[in-house]
Amino acid sequence: MCDFCEEHDDLFEKPLFYEKFNLGIGGDVNIWIYIDAAKKQICMHLLNDSNGNTYEYHRGCRFCPVCGKDFFEVKE
């Protein structure tokens, strides 16, 4: 396991990507992309600072994009 795909108490602790964008009249938007190894998903979380709206997108993934660990590997 690497720092990105090990299980964390806070999923936002080690994101693959974090950026804050200013959309002008739309306000500031924070974007996090992170790996949820427990659910075997890669996720994107968007937060609009001006109105507090959040959006989340989840997509299943078999391997960690950083270290290549197989999330479906049988542990003995």
Side-chain angles (χ1 to χ4, degrees), residues 26-59:
D28 291 335
V29 175
N30 297 292
I31 299 175
W32 291 269
I33 297 176
Y34 58 91
I35 299 169
D36 187 348
K39 294 181 180 176
K40 301 171 179 69
Q41 295 179 336
I42 190 162
C43 310
M44 181 170 65
H45 181 90
L46 299 126
L47 168 67
N48 187 324
D49 281 343
S50 64
N51 59 18
N53 287 345
T54 60
Y55 304 95
E56 287 199 26
Y57 301 97
H58 303 272
R59 178 76 181 198

Side-chain angles (χ1 to χ4, degrees), residues 3-29:
D3 285 344
F4 298 100
C5 69
E6 66 185 21
E7 293 185 28
H8 299 282
D9 292 333
D10 180 13
L11 292 173
F12 300 103
E13 183 178 329
K14 290 280 187 171
L16 286 171
F17 175 81
Y18 169 76
E19 192 64 48
K20 185 174 191 173
F21 294 100
N22 184 313
L23 301 179
I25 197 165
D28 291 335
V29 175

